[in-house]
Amino acid sequence: LKTDWNSNLVRAAMGVEDSGGYLDDPSANKQRVQTIVDAAIANDMYVIIDWHSHHAEMYQAQAIAFFQEMATTYGNHPNVIYEIYNEPLQIPWSTVKNYAQPVVNAIRAIDPDNLIICGTPTWSQDVDAASNDPLSGSNIAYTIHFYAGSHDGSLRAKAQTALDNGIALFAKEWGNVNTDSDGAVNYGETDAWMQFFKDKNISHANWSIVDKSEGASVLYPGVSATGGWSDSDLTASGLKVKDIVSNWDDM
């Protein structure tokens, strides 16, 4: 991703409550995350440590302990980013905030300045709600997620409202297909979102660098796990994502 795609960001999405995730096996999952973080640091890339949960408010104590360890280990590396909640479901922003504020405070007690990103209700779409009652603290961004086959200008309008209200947004997960991570690439809406991000200086990460047999996957099943991919290794989504990432500075 760094040498072939000119990428400067990677996201380490660590499952939490899912089978085989952090709650089932903390040690193995932390090791997977740290392998990615260490590689990103070595390659001078930003890296997002993602508490990849839809129910993080149920696991606040575990999240605090995890991010205290991550902040202690990596807080002196300015390219490390803490993502404390991936995608809240259809719950009030107040519920998310009541979970997130103690996690933010625990990180800030160790690391005073690295970026923290918090998800927003309705699968990280209700950024306007978060903008009306933001978290306390500095260098905090809020998540806007989109899938081009399902989300259009109405969601961009919510994002604009949040920006107008003075909060920072980070699109740490987006897809160029449907919300179920499948279907065909929607090129028109993908381009509209990318232009919006470019115009508003919003950073973003595509979902996802996997070889699962679904539309959102960048890679075809069975290709190399170590990179060096040719265009024939990339799905339609992958070809579009590579073009966006590789040419971002020229957009």
Side-chain angles (χ1 to χ4, degrees):
L1 294 174
K2 171 74 173 186
T3 60
D4 294 347
W5 290 35
N6 198 35
S7 175
N8 66 356
L9 170 70
V10 65
R11 180 180 184 227
M14 182 190 71
V16 176
E17 69 268 12
D18 312 275
S19 178
Y22 179 82
L23 299 180
D24 282 351
D25 193 345
S27 179
N29 281 283
K30 280 191 292 187
Q31 183 57 56
R32 294 184 182 105
V33 168
Q34 290 183 284
T35 297
I36 295 170
V37 175
D38 291 344
I41 291 171
N43 284 279
D44 194 29
M45 298 175 72
Y46 288 101
V47 56
I48 299 172
I49 299 174
D50 168 22
W51 188 255
H52 198 81
S53 174
H54 292 301
H55 306 283
E57 70 277 4
M58 299 171 60
Y59 312 109
Q60 184 185 67
Q62 294 94 328
I64 287 173
F66 172 78
F67 282 108
Q68 284 175 324
E69 183 174 349
M70 293 298 104
T72 300
T73 304
Y74 294 114
N76 62 329
H77 296 280
N79 49 322
V80 174
I81 300 167
Y82 311 106
E83 179 186 344
I84 62 175
Y85 200 154
N86 167 44
E87 279 186 346
L89 301 182
Q90 293 171 300
I91 60 176
W93 166 247
S94 59
T95 300
V96 179
K97 186 177 181 183
N98 288 338
Y99 155 81
Q101 192 65 65
V103 181
V104 168
N105 296 344
I107 293 170
R108 285 290 176 252
I110 300 166
D111 179 352
D113 46 25
N114 277 24
L115 180 62
I116 297 171
I117 311 173
C118 185
T120 56
T122 315
W123 298 275
S124 284
Q125 296 173 58
D126 293 345
V127 289
D128 50 343
S131 73
N132 291 322
D133 185 23
L135 294 160
S136 298
S138 61
N139 205 21
I140 298 171
Y142 300 83
T143 300
I144 180 75
H145 284 181
F146 84 86
Y147 281 80
S150 306
H151 302 128
D152 55 19
S154 60
L155 184 55
R156 288 192 290 278
K158 296 179 74 166
Q160 186 61 58
T161 296
L163 293 171
D164 291 343
N165 287 338
I167 67 170
L169 300 183
F170 199 127
K172 58 183 176 49
E173 179 179 322
W174 65 266
N176 52 30
V177 295
N178 301 328
T179 50
D180 63 358
S181 295
D182 218 343
V185 173
N186 186 319
Y187 294 95
E189 279 300 325
T190 299
D191 289 343
W193 276 103
M194 292 303 106
Q195 191 60 57
F196 181 77
F197 292 165
K198 192 72 173 180
D199 292 344
K200 306 300 179 181
N201 293 311
I202 296 174
S203 298
H204 60 92
N206 174 259
W207 185 270
S208 65
I209 302 292
V210 296
D211 66 349
K212 185 178 178 182
S213 183
E214 65 180 14
S217 299
V218 163
L219 305 171
Y220 281 116
V223 305
S224 169
T226 58
W229 307 305
S230 67
D231 285 356
S232 62
D233 294 324
L234 305 181
T235 64
S237 175
L239 290 169
K240 181 62 174 174
V241 173
K242 181 184 178 182
D243 179 60
I244 291 168
V245 173
S246 300
N247 297 300
W248 186 253
D249 289 342
D250 298 325
M251 286 184 63

